[in-house]
């Protein structure tokens, strides 16, 4: 499949900013089933961009811009060729051993309710079917909330609600998998399913299985990601894999506007 | 326990001085009137107060900054003792550096099963954010403070490794200054290795680890600011090295390079001695709410454009849970047995150790591996029945969170107490420097003393004080005791070559 | 030098100078109000508020406009950013941040001035107020001496730069306000004015003796104005502050090898000041002159911040 992606991130500041330093995790990497045909990051002001890699192995771009800046737009456009993988990740270089992904973070703290749900949904002792059942179970349990996720919402709190955003569903999956001692992580990227003009990129989860390696699970669909997904970054939680980690020098408020469109090219 | 303790100056049990080498010091202690000792001690403390060598006491206003009490009677290491200690310290610090390089790189030590994987990978002190990043020249722990205790003439144990931002070196230097001024006769009597070259040595280390290709590196000290309790030390070190003391807001990262903001414009920074914790270094990578850090610093570090000392991620090397494996870690990287032993430690996650601990709760000290500052600690010999039973239950419920150690009879040194000279328990923190050209031990260190009778707690917040620590350049008093000669030998540069034995590069 | 360090030193200079000025102003006002043969009463305190530009702030406190309240407001009121205690607090904070750049003597003077207020001194009766400001003045004199005994380097220059800019502002305000009060509508310069009031001005800028030395023909408003504006011999005159600013900036420029907009602005101002005759100023409007001086001084302050990247 050939997917075309447009991802626009616009900041507006109520007061001019002296400097901006941002770390962008916005560049997909090539894997066996994902080939980046073209990819560009355009910034609407004079900015220096530097490529690098973070500890998780994600491709990062440092953005340095001098003010005064009242707005900043990051426009991403690219095309990615994908093939069918059954959700199994092949050909990614992993700098960290899977056991690291048993750790929790503030938003993915172990949660008794999720642990009970995981244990009761898992069924048999085979891990892969258990994870699929948890994935499907989460999908059935929640109605989809397509608005922007609430910053800092924990998986445990999200689990108590009736609807959930893709990010929160992925967090719940991660917490559930870890409660079964399965390493799991959050993945950010794009999905054709999500469609046009979404307010955020997509997010799902990956879990590590001894024989298969990292396998994707998307509780939004209840299935594993297929060739209509483009994988960009992974970390312990959504904040760690977020497209932008930023810092600005200057007073005032900021307004963020995001528009994501994924289409078949 | 105070009765059985080894006294480092009087020898075992007191009475006749069994440590003949230090007879001259005993004589000095005897011959100097108590009032004179007390006068000198007060003079030293008055100087410290004027210099502002203070620490802030939590909950009190700025006006009530306190100094750490200073004791006028020095603690002395004989030349041979020190040589053995230095060997052990160098071996340990080389192992710490090798361990850090491995654990954030290949992780051979995990693959070979020397350490339990979850102990490292699940440890909050292991920082996945920096995996794969390697500091310039592969040096991680540039400045280590290794806390030691002593129980006998040749029995030293490592109590704790400090591989993050060990503090206290300003006390080592200021205490020596005070002793030279107030007790010059001691330096005529003994050939004491000088410590005053420490700032020069530190600056040399800083320059030696600058990124490749930088010929005249700009070095800075990064402080959280003047509200930090160790600010005096930060400014003292920057001043004595002649480099800038910067705060996070003074630095900017641009184009993956670090710059400091000066009145004449930006100046590129190559080496940062930071006294800011990992969590606060860079809000883009660690705590996003940190206002102390420098956004983009880790990107500059990852790009190899700046050296940060000590390196980010070092906390895994001095973690309490890792501590008990230090003998194995030293063996793994050095190929030999650790020359400086650990305090015997029972890891309660291991069933045999748990059983032993539960059977001896009234004898041992039990510690939480993730606790600090004496929280979650049981001191068996002084604990009540109820406390012991509480810990028994906790140990059975979560054994992996605890370690146990024997209660040690810490050595004592005569100390000027209200009632006169009396033995008080001490510990010791020597400072070990690692640059791209090897490891060196500064011939001295920080002796902390528990001023309360019988107390084993040397923390400054709980009634601890400090002493000067003499390292002798030979094993006895000087043969020639003319004043001029004694002075020049003490103050001159020749002591430094002896004290800083150049060693091979770190493994 | 780090921009932050330079900024702290500059602000240390400004705040310490301001504390000193307020102390002098309060002292002179107390004398005028109760110690002079013809007490001035409420008006004297109103004018003290006007000089420090804090009438509005005082209104918000809601206290009665009388000696004890205004004196308290200007000296020990820690809720009022323009009080002596707050100025000293700010000065000390800035000094702490650059502590190692200062000599022990300079730090001690700042710290001791600050400690005066730690004991919550009274500011109720005139004697207590005078004791308090006398204590503050003692320490500010000590600081002044300490700064002059420090190495002639950037540290000293940034402190002195802050002091010079602050002093220029303070003297201009003092003259502007007092002049207004002293000159009833329709009155011309040189008319009958209150001798005590003019003495107050001279006291505030420590110029009573200097005046006698420089002007032999008794106390005349035009001469007081001349002294405070145009006589560089008087350290607190506008002319002296303007000169000091140029001198310090050029020493800094020599060190950094860079000239900037603050240098240009300061030199331009000094050239103009050199040609200024107080008689002409009075004839063409003292108030306008002082107002535009204060504005220009504020612009220079901003230019200094930009030139040395205080940020």
């Amino acid at each position: 499949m050939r997917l075309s992606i447009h991802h626009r991130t616009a900041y507006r500041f109520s007061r001019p900013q002296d400097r901006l330093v941002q770390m962008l995790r916005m560049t997909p990497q090539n894997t066996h089933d994902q080939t980046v045909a073209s990819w560009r990051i355009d910034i609407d002001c004079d900015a220096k961009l530097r490529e690098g890699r973070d500890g998780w192995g994600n491709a990062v771009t440092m953005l340095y811009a001098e003010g005064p800046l009242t707005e900043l737009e990051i426009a991403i456009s690219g095309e990615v060729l994908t093939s069918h993988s059954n959700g199994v990740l092949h050909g990614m270089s992993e700098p960290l051993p899977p056991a690291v992904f048993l750790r929790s973070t503030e938003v993915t703290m172990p949660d008794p309710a999720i642990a009970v749900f995981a244990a009761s949904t898992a069924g048999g002792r085979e891990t892969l079917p258990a994870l699929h059942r948890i994935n499907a179970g989460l999908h059935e349990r929640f109605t989809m909330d397509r608005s922007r996720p609430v910053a800092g919402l924990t998986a445990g709190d999200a689990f108590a609600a009736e609807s959930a955003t893709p990010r929160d569903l992925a967090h719940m999956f991660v917490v559930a998998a870890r409660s079964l001692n399965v390493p799991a992580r959050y993945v950010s990227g794009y999905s054709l399913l999500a469609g046009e003009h979404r307010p955020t990129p997509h997010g799902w989860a990956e879990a590590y299985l001894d024989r298969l390696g990292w396998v994707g699970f998307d509780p939004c669909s209840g299935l594993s990601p297929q060739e209509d997904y483009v994988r960009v970054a992974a970390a312990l939680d959504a904040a760690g894999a977020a497209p932008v980690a930023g810092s600005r020098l200057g007073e005032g408020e900021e307004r963020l506007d995001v528009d994501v469109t994924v289409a078949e090219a | 326990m105070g009765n059985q303790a080894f006294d480092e100056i009087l020898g075992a049990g007191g009475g006749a001085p069994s440590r003949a080498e230090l007879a001259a010091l005993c004589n000095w202690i005897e011959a100097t009137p108590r009032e004179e000792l007390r006068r000198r001690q007060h003079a030293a403390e008055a100087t410290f107060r004027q210099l502002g060598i203070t620490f802030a006491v939590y909950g009190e206003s700025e006006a009530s900054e306190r100094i750490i009490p200073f004791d006028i009677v020095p603690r002395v290491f004989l030349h041979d003792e020190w040589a053995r200690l230095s060997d052990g310290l160098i071996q340990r610090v080389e192992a710490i550096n090798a361990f850090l390089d491995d654990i954030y790189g290949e992780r051979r030590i995990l693959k070979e099963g020397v350490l339990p994987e979850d102990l490292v990978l699940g440890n909050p002190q292991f920082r996945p954010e920096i995996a794969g990043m390697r500091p310039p020249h592969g040096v991680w722990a540039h400045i280590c403070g290794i806390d030691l205790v002593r129980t006998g003439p040749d029995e030293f144990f490592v109590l704790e490794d400090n591989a993050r931002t060990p503090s206290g070196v300003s006390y080592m230097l200021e205490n020596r200054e005070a002793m030279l001024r107030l007790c010059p006769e001691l330096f005529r009597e003994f050939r004491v290795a000088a410590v005053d070259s420490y700032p020069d040595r530190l600056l040399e280390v800083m320059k030696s680890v600058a990124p490749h290709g930088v010929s005249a590196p700009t070095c800075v000290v990064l402080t959280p600011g003047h509200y930090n309790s160790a600010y005096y030390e930060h400014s003292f070190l920057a001043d004595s090295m002649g480099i800038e003391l910067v705060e996070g807001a003074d630095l900017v990262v641009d184009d993956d390079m670090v710059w400091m903001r000066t009145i004449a414009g930006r100046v590129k920074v190559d080496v940062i001695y930071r006294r800011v914790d990992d969590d606060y270094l860079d809000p883009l990578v660690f705590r996003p709410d940190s206002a102390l850090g420098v956004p983009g610093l880790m990107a500059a570090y990852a790009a190899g454009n700046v050296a940060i000392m000590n390196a980010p991620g070092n906390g895994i090397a001095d973690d309490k849970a890792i501590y008990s494996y230090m003998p194995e870690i030293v063996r793994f990287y050095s190929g030999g047995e650790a020359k400086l032993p650990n305090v015997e430690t029972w890891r309660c996650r291991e069933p045999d150790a748990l059983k032993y601990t539960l059977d001896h709760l009234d004898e041992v000290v039990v510690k939480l591996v993730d606790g600090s500052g004496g929280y979650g600690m049981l001191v068996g010999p002084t604990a009540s029945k109820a406390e012991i039973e509480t810990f028994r239950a906790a140990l059975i419920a979560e054994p992996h969170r605890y370690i146990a150690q024997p209660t040690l009879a810490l050595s004592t040194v005569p100390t000027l107490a209200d009632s006169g000279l009396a033995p008080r328990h001490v510990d010791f923190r020597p400072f070990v420097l690692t640059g791209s050209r090897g490891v060196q031990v500064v011939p001295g260190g920080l002796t902390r003393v528990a001023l309360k009778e019988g107390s084993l707690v040397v923390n400054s917040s709980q009634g601890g004080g400090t002493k000067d620590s003499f390292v002798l350049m030979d094993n006895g008093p000087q043969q020639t005791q003319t004043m001029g000669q004694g002075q020049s030998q003490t103050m001159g540069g020749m002591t430094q070559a002896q004290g800083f034995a150049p060693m091979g590069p770190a493994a | 030098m780090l921009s932050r360090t330079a900024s702290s030193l500059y602000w240390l200079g400004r705040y310490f100078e301001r504390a000193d000025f307020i102390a002098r102003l309060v002292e002179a006002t107390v004398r005028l109000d109760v110690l002079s043969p013809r007490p001035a009463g409420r008006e004297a305190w109103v004018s003290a508020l006007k000089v420090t530009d804090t009438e509005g702030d005082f209104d918000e406190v809601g206290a009665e406009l009388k000696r004890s309240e205004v004196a308290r407001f200007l000296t020990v009121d820690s809720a009022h950013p323009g009080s002596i205690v707050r100025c000293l607090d700010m000065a000390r904070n800035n000094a702490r941040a650059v502590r190692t750049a200062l000599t022990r003597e300079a730090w001690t003077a700042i710290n001791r001035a600050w400690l005066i207020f730690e004991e919550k001194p009274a500011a109720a009766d005139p004697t207590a107020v005078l004791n308090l400001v006398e204590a503050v003045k003692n320490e500010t004199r000590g600081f002044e001496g300490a700064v002059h005994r420090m190495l002639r380097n950037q540290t000293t220059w940034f402190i002195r730069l802050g002091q010079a800019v602050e002093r220029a502002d303070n003297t201009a305000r003092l003259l502007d306000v007092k002049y207004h009060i002293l000159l009833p509508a329709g009155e011309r310069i040189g008319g009958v004015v209150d001798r005590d009031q003019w003495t107050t001005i001279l006291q505030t800028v420590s110029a009573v003796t200097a005046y006698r030395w420089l002007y032999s023909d008794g106390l005349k408003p035009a001469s007081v104005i001349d002294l405070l504006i145009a006589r560089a011999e008087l350290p607190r005159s506008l002319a002296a502050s303007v000169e000091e600013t140029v001198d310090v900036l050029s020493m800094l420029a020599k060190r950094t090898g860079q000239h900037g907009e603050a240098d240009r602005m300061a030199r331009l101002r000094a050239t103009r000041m050199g040609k200024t005759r107080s008689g002409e100023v009075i004839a063409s409007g003292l108030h306008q002159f002082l107002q535009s001086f204060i504005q220009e001084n504020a612009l220079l302050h901003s230019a200094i911040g930009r030139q040395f990247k205080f940020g």
Side-chain angles (χ1 to χ4, degrees):
Chain A
M1 199 175 252
R2 188 179 185 100
L3 296 170
S4 115
I5 291 148
H6 292 276
H7 176 182
R8 191 185 65 93
T9 308
Y11 290 92
R12 272 184 193 76
F13 307 106
S14 61
R15 304 268 295 274
Q17 304 295 303
D18 290 340
R19 288 195 86 230
L20 283 174
V21 180
Q22 295 191 322
M23 183 166 68
L24 313 179
R25 292 184 204 86
M26 294 183 148
T27 309
Q29 300 181 64
N30 291 328
T31 67
H32 285 180
D33 302 294
Q34 170 172 305
T35 305
V36 182
S38 69
W39 200 262
R40 42 182 301 165
I41 301 178
D42 289 305
I43 314 293
D44 70 340
C45 67
D46 287 343
K48 292 172 198 146
L49 299 179
R50 286 270 167 182
E51 309 293 329
R53 206 164 277 277
D54 67 12
W56 311 103
N58 302 310
V60 300
T61 305
M62 292 301 297
L63 181 160
Y64 303 98
E66 293 294 323
L69 288 169
T70 49
E71 52 184 30
L72 174 79
E73 188 174 305
I74 306 165
I76 287 177
S77 52
E79 285 194 359
V80 179
L81 304 168
T82 59
S83 56
H84 196 79
S85 68
N86 277 325
V88 181
L89 183 64
H90 290 291
M92 258 298 287
S93 78
E94 295 286 347
L96 288 162
V100 168
F101 296 92
L102 288 168
R103 291 170 168 231
S104 55
T105 64
E106 269 179 47
V107 294
T108 58
M109 279 296 173
D111 179 76
I114 294 179
V116 167
F117 165 81
S120 61
T121 314
R125 295 179 57 192
E126 287 290 315
T127 312
L128 186 61
L131 293 173
H132 276 300
R133 275 193 289 274
I134 288 170
N135 195 34
L138 285 170
H139 174 66
E140 281 156 25
R141 188 181 169 110
F142 293 93
T143 57
M144 192 55 54
D145 175 356
R146 287 284 181 189
S147 59
R148 191 189 303 283
V150 179
L153 182 68
T154 64
D157 287 347
F159 189 72
E162 289 184 354
S163 66
T165 65
R167 182 202 70 178
D168 295 321
L169 285 168
H171 278 166
M172 291 179 224
F173 180 90
V174 161
V175 172
R178 288 177 195 159
S179 76
L180 302 175
N181 209 30
V182 176
R185 63 191 181 188
Y186 182 93
V187 181
S188 74
Y190 305 100
S191 133
L192 181 61
L193 205 73
E196 295 199 347
H197 300 302
R198 294 296 174 195
T200 58
H202 193 47
W204 60 96
E206 281 174 356
Y208 187 83
L209 289 112
D210 283 337
R211 254 162 294 159
L212 287 172
W214 287 101
V215 180
F217 295 89
D218 184 358
C220 287
S221 64
L223 303 168
S224 282
Q226 297 299 330
E227 57 179 341
D228 48 354
Y229 281 66
V230 173
R231 186 185 183 282
V232 177
L236 286 174
D237 62 17
V244 182
S247 160
R248 59 196 173 95
L249 194 66
E251 295 173 353
E253 306 288 310
E254 74 179 38
R255 225 191 78 197
L256 176 63
D257 207 7
V258 180
D259 184 77
V260 178
T261 295
V262 181
E264 203 170 345
Chain B
M1 178 171 31
N3 299 331
Q4 319 154 2
F6 168 72
D7 191 282
E8 299 198 7
I9 292 180
L10 304 175
S18 57
R19 307 200 77 204
E21 311 90 333
L22 296 178
L25 185 62
C26 296
N27 293 343
W28 175 81
I29 294 173
E30 286 306 313
T32 315
R34 296 294 170 269
E35 284 323 300
E36 175 59 15
L37 289 178
R38 218 174 286 282
R39 186 194 66 76
R40 294 182 190 182
Q41 186 157 311
H42 288 157
E45 291 184 348
T47 308
F48 295 160
R49 203 176 299 280
Q50 276 176 345
L51 286 174
I53 316 179
T54 54
F55 66 96
V57 179
Y58 182 74
E60 296 183 25
S61 85
E62 279 187 84
S64 61
E65 291 158 357
R66 297 214 193 136
I67 61 158
I68 297 182
F70 170 70
D71 186 73
I72 198 81
V73 182
R75 186 258 192 102
V76 183
F77 292 100
L78 303 180
H79 179 261
D80 291 350
E81 286 172 2
W82 185 257
R84 285 194 295 277
L85 263 186
S86 292
D87 274 359
L89 289 166
I90 288 167
Q91 181 199 38
R92 192 162 179 113
V93 168
E94 284 177 347
I96 287 173
N97 271 297
F99 171 64
L100 286 163
D101 209 38
D102 184 33
I103 210 75
Y104 288 110
E106 287 184 72
R107 283 181 289 276
R108 276 195 304 125
I109 197 165
L110 298 187
K111 287 170 191 154
E112 298 189 18
V114 177
L115 288 184
E117 200 180 48
D118 64 311
L119 198 69
V120 172
L121 301 180
N123 194 313
Q125 294 303 332
F126 175 75
R127 296 291 196 167
E129 295 91 340
I130 60 142
M133 297 176 195
R134 192 163 187 266
H137 307 275
V139 181
W140 294 75
H142 310 76
I143 303 151
C144 285
I146 310 292
D147 288 351
L148 301 172
V149 293
R150 186 177 192 177
T151 57
D154 264 321
E155 286 140 75
F156 288 92
F157 298 93
V158 177
L159 193 61
E160 196 174 293
D161 301 287
N162 293 281
R164 286 174 246 192
T165 55
S167 64
V169 80
S170 57
Y171 291 98
M172 171 180 87
L173 296 167
E174 297 287 8
N175 286 355
R176 176 60 53 81
E177 277 297 305
M179 289 302 284
L180 281 167
R181 205 173 58 247
L182 296 166
C183 305
E185 68 273 21
L186 280 176
F187 296 87
R188 288 195 292 274
E189 199 78 34
F190 294 102
R191 291 181 59 208
V192 179
V195 293
D196 60 355
S197 62
Y198 179 83
D200 296 339
R201 298 287 163 165
L202 180 58
L203 186 58
E204 247 172 62
V205 164
M206 291 186 80
K207 289 179 174 166
S208 82
V209 297
H212 298 276
V214 178
S215 56
T218 302
C219 307
V220 300
V221 176
L222 174 63
T223 172
H226 61 272
Y227 295 107
N228 186 275
S229 62
Y231 181 73
Y232 172 78
E233 181 158 300
H234 307 162
S235 62
F236 173 88
L237 287 172
D239 269 10
S240 41
M241 288 189 282
I243 63 179
E244 289 287 357
L245 178 66
V246 303
E247 296 178 12
D250 296 324
L251 299 181
V252 293
V253 180
D254 195 7
D255 218 11
D256 282 3
M257 281 184 274
V258 184
W259 307 82
M260 68 176 159
R261 290 145 34 103
T262 79
I263 56 171
R266 286 181 182 178
V267 174
K268 186 167 170 284
V269 172
D270 307 297
V271 185
I272 301 174
Y273 174 20
R274 52 78 178 238
R275 296 293 293 261
V276 172
D277 293 342
D278 285 1
D279 266 345
Y280 300 96
L281 270 184
D282 180 349
L284 301 190
V285 174
F286 301 114
R287 282 179 62 151
D289 57 344
S290 165
L292 302 174
V294 187
L297 182 58
M298 293 310 294
Y301 175 71
N305 291 335
V306 69
I308 300 176
M309 54 190 269
N310 287 352
N314 276 14
I316 190 64
D318 62 19
D319 184 72
K320 277 207 190 74
I322 299 294
Y323 163 84
S324 67
Y325 289 90
M326 276 309 287
E328 286 93 328
I329 290 172
V330 171
R331 196 180 308 128
F332 184 74
Y333 295 108
S334 76
E337 289 304 309
K339 295 173 186 169
L340 267 179
N342 266 16
V343 177
E344 188 179 4
T345 302
W346 294 282
R347 299 188 280 258
C348 301
R349 59 191 280 144
E350 295 167 7
D352 289 351
L354 177 63
K355 180 173 187 312
Y356 178 89
T357 304
L358 292 174
D359 289 348
H360 297 83
L361 275 178
D362 55 345
E363 295 167 23
V364 298
V365 177
V366 183
K367 294 175 179 173
L368 260 180
V369 291
D370 49 2
S372 69
Y375 292 101
M377 191 163 132
L378 175 81
V379 182
T382 59
S384 68
K385 279 256 180 308
E387 283 169 324
I388 287 182
E389 289 318 308
T390 309
F391 262 78
R392 187 185 304 283
L395 272 164
I396 292 168
E398 295 183 292
H400 60 279
R401 293 187 65 198
Y402 294 90
I403 56 171
Q405 294 174 332
T407 315
L408 297 178
L410 298 194
S411 60
T412 59
V413 174
T415 298
L416 195 56
D418 287 341
S419 54
L421 282 163
R424 290 291 182 265
H425 296 290
V426 292
D427 80 350
F428 185 55
R429 173 178 291 183
F431 295 91
V432 186
L433 297 176
T434 306
S436 63
R437 287 186 283 277
V439 185
Q440 47 184 311
V441 183
V442 186
L446 172 64
T447 291
R448 296 190 298 178
V449 51
L451 296 173
K452 277 184 223 131
E453 188 174 359
S455 169
L456 296 169
V457 184
V458 295
N459 294 53
S460 53
S461 54
Q462 296 178 54
T466 67
K467 282 172 174 289
D468 193 6
S469 316
F470 287 9
V471 172
L472 300 188
M473 295 167 65
D474 48 33
N475 278 332
Q478 299 234 125
Q479 298 309 306
T480 49
Q481 296 187 4
T482 61
M483 185 174 169
Q485 200 177 346
Q487 284 280 8
S488 76
Q489 282 174 334
T490 304
M491 309 285 284
M494 62 172 288
T495 58
Q496 293 165 4
Q498 285 238 356
F500 288 93
M503 295 292 159
Chain C
M1 176 179 277
L2 290 175
S3 296
R4 176 179 50 85
T5 307
S7 166
S8 291
L9 291 165
Y10 175 84
W11 279 110
L12 160 63
R14 284 206 73 155
Y15 278 117
F16 216 69
E17 183 68 26
R18 195 175 298 172
D20 178 68
F21 176 76
I22 299 168
R24 288 165 189 285
L25 178 69
V26 169
E27 181 185 32
T29 310
V30 171
R31 289 187 189 285
L32 174 68
D33 176 16
V34 294
L35 303 182
S36 61
R38 286 150 292 175
R42 194 166 168 271
E43 286 312 302
W45 291 101
V46 172
S47 89
L49 288 174
K50 281 203 170 114
V51 171
T52 51
D53 203 9
T54 53
E55 273 178 300
D57 297 335
F58 186 80
D59 273 355
E60 278 176 28
V61 174
E64 192 187 340
L65 219 171
K66 60 178 187 186
R67 187 201 67 234
S68 57
E69 288 300 326
V70 180
R72 191 195 58 80
F73 179 69
L74 290 176
T75 55
V76 297
D77 186 351
S78 57
H80 169 41
S83 66
I84 298 177
V85 60
R86 281 287 294 276
C87 288
L88 290 176
D89 205 34
M90 296 297 289
R92 185 175 181 270
N93 276 343
N94 280 294
R96 265 198 75 141
V98 294
R99 170 114 170 234
T100 50
L102 301 174
T103 57
R104 186 182 302 171
E105 189 191 8
W107 163 257
T108 308
I110 298 162
N111 201 36
R112 287 199 340 210
W114 180 81
L115 283 171
I116 295 170
F117 291 86
E118 271 297 273
E119 285 151 27
K120 306 268 176 271
D125 62 274
T127 321
V129 173
L130 288 180
N131 287 342
L132 182 61
V133 296
E134 192 53 42
V136 172
K137 277 167 57 190
N138 266 332
E139 301 303 344
T140 55
R141 266 197 297 274
F143 177 71
E144 191 68 21
V147 169
H148 277 91
R149 282 187 289 278
M150 275 166 62
L151 287 176
R152 295 300 151 108
N153 59 16
Q154 298 177 82
T155 302
T156 319
W157 297 329
F158 275 110
I159 296 173
R160 282 172 54 186
L161 187 59
Q163 289 177 312
V165 171
E166 180 70 25
R167 198 173 290 158
D169 176 82
N170 292 342
T171 301
R173 281 181 199 284
L174 176 72
L175 199 52
D176 192 28
V177 171
K178 290 292 181 190
Y179 169 77
H180 260 286
I181 293 170
L182 297 181
L183 201 66
E187 188 92 37
R188 286 184 51 237
I189 285 285
V192 182
V193 288
D194 191 326
R195 211 190 137 73
D196 298 334
Q197 287 266 14
W198 287 102
T199 310
T200 315
I201 297 183
L202 291 176
Q203 271 170 352
T204 307
V205 296
S206 303
V208 178
T209 316
Y211 183 88
R212 283 199 209 104
W213 273 100
L214 293 167
Y215 304 91
S216 50
D217 50 350
L219 193 63
K220 286 185 178 165
S223 300
V224 175
I225 291 167
D226 183 60
L227 176 65
L228 261 62
I229 289 181
R231 298 299 287 259
E233 300 97 312
L234 179 74
R236 287 188 170 77
S237 73
L238 298 191
S241 305
V242 161
E243 259 181 37
E244 166 91 351
T245 310
V246 172
D247 290 349
V248 173
L249 280 170
S250 62
M251 285 186 279
L252 282 168
K254 225 184 280 173
R255 175 59 70 91
T256 59
Q258 289 178 0
H259 273 267
E261 60 170 320
D263 296 271
R264 287 191 292 277
M265 230 165 154
R267 251 178 288 130
L268 211 68
R269 182 171 78 160
T271 313
R272 240 184 302 116
M273 203 69 187
K275 294 180 193 145
T276 302
R277 298 287 166 268
S278 61
E280 291 164 22
V281 168
I282 293 167
S284 62
L286 180 62
H287 176 62
Q288 273 150 336
F289 171 82
L290 292 170
Q291 280 303 313
S292 73
F293 182 89
I294 290 168
Q295 274 166 23
E296 190 180 5
N297 199 54
L299 289 175
L300 178 61
H301 164 83
S302 308
I304 288 169
R306 281 192 299 275
Q307 179 168 324
F308 298 106
K309 300 158 185 80
F310 288 174

